[in-house]
Amino acid sequence: MEQKIKAKELKEKLFLKRKNTYAEMTDEEIQKADEFCEGYKAFLDAGKTEREACTEAVRIAESNGFKPFVSGTRYNAGDRVYLNNRGKSVILAVIGSQPIENGVNIVAAHIDSPRIDLKQNPLYESEELAYFKTHYYGGIKKYQWPALPLALHGVIYKADGEAVTVKIGEDDNDPVFVVTDLLPHLADEQYKRPAGKLIKGEELNILIGSRPFKDDESSENVKLNILCILNEKYGITEEDFISAELECVPAFKAKDIGFDRSMIGAYGQDDRVCAYPALMAAVDTVGVPEKTSVTILTDKEEIGSEGNTGLRSAYLKYFIYDLAEAWGVHGHTVLSNSKCLSADVNAGFDPTFPEPFEKMNAAFLNKGVVATKYTGSRGKSGTSDASAEYVSEIRNLFNENGVIWQTGELGKVDFGGGGTVAMYIANLDIDTIDIGVPVLSMHAPYEITAKNDVYMAYKAFSVFIK
Ligand code: MN
Ligand code: MN
């Protein structure tokens, strides 16, 4: 008997514990999490593309005292600035009380999500139906995208250089668009395809019309009618598609999931589920942080962080250099003394599909924010692998501040893997670790997260930049 009690005590003392947020959080804190997620759902609906999320983030930042960053300015402690990078990524900074050479605290999330982009020359007619040709963006299971209501978002630059903003399919009175699929009765041959080709890339054609232009006997009258509608509404011609960025995203809105409303279902939670908590942690900064905080909401993570709005470009480095220069400090001194949370999602363990996960090291819904020491795949290739020293620092920070957290690895060894922006920031000589929210059905048109985890991400980013 005595031995048994001792074993229980020792287990309590020695074993690693996974904590469920519902067991650990007070009712008051759970209510706070629910309230926080109302703002999160509104952010999801307002920003379904990188451009819209950037615009919404800037709007929220401006209404919380952030001003456009002016290079060369020596800012005062407590000043709030933002840099809008081409309308697709944004950097927010709150100037700290410590000298800039001590480094900055960076939280970096991404605001692009997998989706279906229109090709440059997209519009065609076939058998008197009109379509858009597309090229998908990011890692999607293509078979998930047909037979869903889709909305069209983006921007078109006309011949005269004027920009037209497009957003169709979000209002209840708007039409929506769709990729068609074959009926099961005729799908025998389709079923024999490997799943990755169940729907092929060139089959992701978006149905946009069927009504022909009247009183004319020439061909392509459905296409003509569509162009007439677009010309009347936006003043565009077919050539204007070439200087456009049009993105198809699911037309549905963010909703609570479950009888208990404990989860959120929405498109684009990878990685707005980290971008929104990161943004709110910055705007909710109380007083003056010790170190300058830098919050990055970046573009192009889903296609490898390339391009001048992605984090492989120099835009973050240039911002830090500009900031440093105003105090006569070299930019690399600031970078080398900086620390970063790469705020990105990890896969939540899915009991329906346990096989690709290694349970001891997987992340679970409702068990808090996930610390991912390394991502990558096949022998840790393509990852920055945070140091034990830095993990120790973050572990203590979270434990001392009531952040409920867990570790996570993306699947079993050699089962796949993934990447985030962590390595591109670490490559600037910055200590970096991935911290994010576990997601079910990641990269699907409808992704699932747990509300308490979203709130723990907010809490984690808040204590980090305090
Ligand atoms: Mn991501
Ligand atoms: Mn992703």
Side-chain angles (χ1 to χ4, degrees):
M1 191 64 190
E2 209 169 276
Q3 277 241 307
K4 268 186 190 166
I5 290 167
K6 204 175 173 206
K8 199 185 167 198
E9 276 173 12
L10 283 171
K11 280 179 183 169
E12 188 67 26
K13 187 177 155 193
L14 299 174
F15 278 15
L16 169 69
K17 283 174 280 295
R18 274 183 194 279
K19 299 169 182 172
N20 188 302
T21 49
Y22 282 99
E24 301 293 317
M25 290 164 72
T26 62
D27 287 349
E28 200 184 8
E29 200 173 29
I30 292 168
Q31 196 186 329
K32 267 193 199 166
D34 289 343
E35 284 161 14
F36 183 79
C37 286
E38 291 306 303
Y40 170 49
K41 286 187 286 177
F43 181 79
L44 284 169
D45 291 341
K48 286 191 173 180
T49 66
E50 74 288 8
R51 284 176 190 271
E52 290 171 1
C54 180
T55 302
E56 182 64 4
V58 167
R59 187 190 68 75
I60 291 170
E62 280 182 339
S63 64
N64 284 278
F66 284 76
K67 302 258 183 326
F69 175 69
V70 179
S71 179
T73 308
R74 189 181 293 194
Y75 287 100
N76 298 314
D79 282 355
R80 297 169 163 226
V81 294
Y82 72 87
L83 179 85
N84 183 339
N85 180 11
R86 298 169 170 86
K88 295 181 180 189
S89 48
V90 60
I91 300 178
L92 315 176
V94 182
I95 309 301
S97 56
Q98 289 186 12
I100 195 76
E101 53 263 44
N102 290 7
V104 301
N105 287 329
I106 301 169
V107 179
H110 68 93
I111 49 176
D112 62 317
S113 296
R115 58 180 193 249
I116 303 178
D117 287 350
L118 298 202
K119 289 193 184 189
Q120 281 206 284
N121 181 21
L123 180 59
Y124 73 102
E125 174 177 338
S126 182
E127 307 306 327
E128 296 179 80
L129 296 173
Y131 293 93
F132 281 144
K133 291 299 292 179
T134 68
H135 194 143
Y136 64 94
Y137 173 98
I140 63 168
K141 284 172 142 180
K142 293 185 276 290
Y143 70 78
Q144 292 178 333
W145 289 75
L148 282 183
L150 298 173
L152 186 68
H153 294 235
V155 65
I156 305 170
Y157 277 86
K158 298 197 279 191
D160 62 3
E162 192 202 331
V164 179
T165 303
V166 176
K167 188 175 181 178
I168 308 170
E170 297 296 343
D171 191 276
D172 281 343
N173 296 315
D174 282 354
V176 294
F177 311 97
V178 71
V179 174
T180 58
D181 197 359
L182 205 52
L183 60 167
H185 317 64
L186 298 181
D188 278 1
E189 289 303 313
Q190 187 191 24
Y191 284 151
K192 288 176 190 158
R193 298 179 184 178
K197 290 180 178 167
L198 196 56
I199 295 291
K200 297 175 189 169
E202 290 293 352
E203 291 170 345
L204 289 171
N205 301 318
I206 295 172
L207 183 62
I208 56 166
S210 68
R211 180 173 174 168
F213 185 81
K214 263 191 183 171
D215 303 326
D216 198 309
E217 297 192 350
S218 66
S219 62
E220 294 194 294
N221 279 339
V222 179
K223 171 177 165 175
L224 176 62
N225 193 45
I226 295 288
L227 274 173
C228 287
I229 292 167
L230 293 175
N231 184 263
E232 194 178 316
K233 191 170 162 74
Y234 301 116
I236 65 163
T237 66
E238 192 174 13
E239 190 179 302
D240 295 329
F241 282 118
I242 294 171
S243 49
E245 285 182 328
L246 294 167
E247 307 173 5
C248 275
V249 296
F252 29 73
K253 293 192 171 14
K255 292 264 189 188
D256 289 346
I257 298 270
F259 290 114
D260 55 13
R261 295 180 171 263
S262 58
M263 297 166 282
I264 294 168
Y267 163 72
Q269 298 203 70
D270 173 8
D271 182 34
R272 292 174 198 119
V273 73
C274 296
Y276 181 74
L279 169 69
M280 296 317 287
V283 304
D284 292 347
T285 304
V286 180
V288 179
E290 282 179 22
K291 287 189 180 180
T292 294
S293 73
V294 173
T295 304
I296 308 161
L297 308 184
T298 195
D299 182 29
K300 295 287 184 282
E301 192 279 339
E302 294 294 357
I303 57 167
S305 297
E306 303 285 3
N308 58 12
T309 53
L311 272 178
R312 272 204 227 202
S313 91
Y315 83 89
L316 166 63
K317 186 174 155 183
Y318 290 165
F319 177 78
I320 299 289
Y321 272 53
D322 280 353
L323 208 57
E325 208 169 30
W327 281 278
V329 174
H330 200 288
H332 81 70
T333 309
V334 181
L335 289 174
S336 300
N337 290 325
S338 293
K339 292 175 196 302
C340 173
L341 300 185
S342 163
D344 207 345
V345 299
N346 201 330
F349 181 87
D350 188 335
T352 304
F353 300 103
E355 180 54 25
F357 294 94
E358 189 272 284
K359 236 176 154 177
M360 269 177 64
N361 288 283
F364 291 78
L365 253 62
N366 279 323
K367 296 197 173 165
V369 77
V370 190
T372 306
K373 187 175 182 291
Y374 49 88
T375 57
S377 62
R378 293 169 190 85
K380 292 192 177 181
S381 101
T383 182
S384 53
D385 204 352
S387 69
E389 288 81 355
Y390 190 48
V391 177
S392 160
E393 198 179 315
I394 296 303
R395 169 191 171 190
N396 289 329
L397 177 78
F398 289 174
N399 285 345
E400 283 160 17
N401 289 282
V403 175
I404 302 165
W405 65 285
Q406 57 184 325
T407 59
E409 186 168 342
L410 190 63
K412 281 179 178 165
V413 177
D414 292 340
F415 262 62
T420 65
V421 300
M423 60 181 153
Y424 309 117
I425 295 176
N427 288 349
L428 294 170
D429 193 27
I430 296 172
D431 278 317
T432 307
I433 185 171
D434 278 298
I435 300 290
V437 174
V439 178
L440 297 182
S441 301
M442 194 201 292
H443 282 209
Y446 207 60
E447 301 176 307
I448 315 299
T449 57
K451 289 181 176 177
N452 284 354
D453 297 333
V454 181
Y455 185 70
M456 282 302 151
Y458 169 68
K459 207 167 163 180
F461 304 150
S462 299
V463 299
F464 179 73
I465 63 169
K466 203 167 64 182

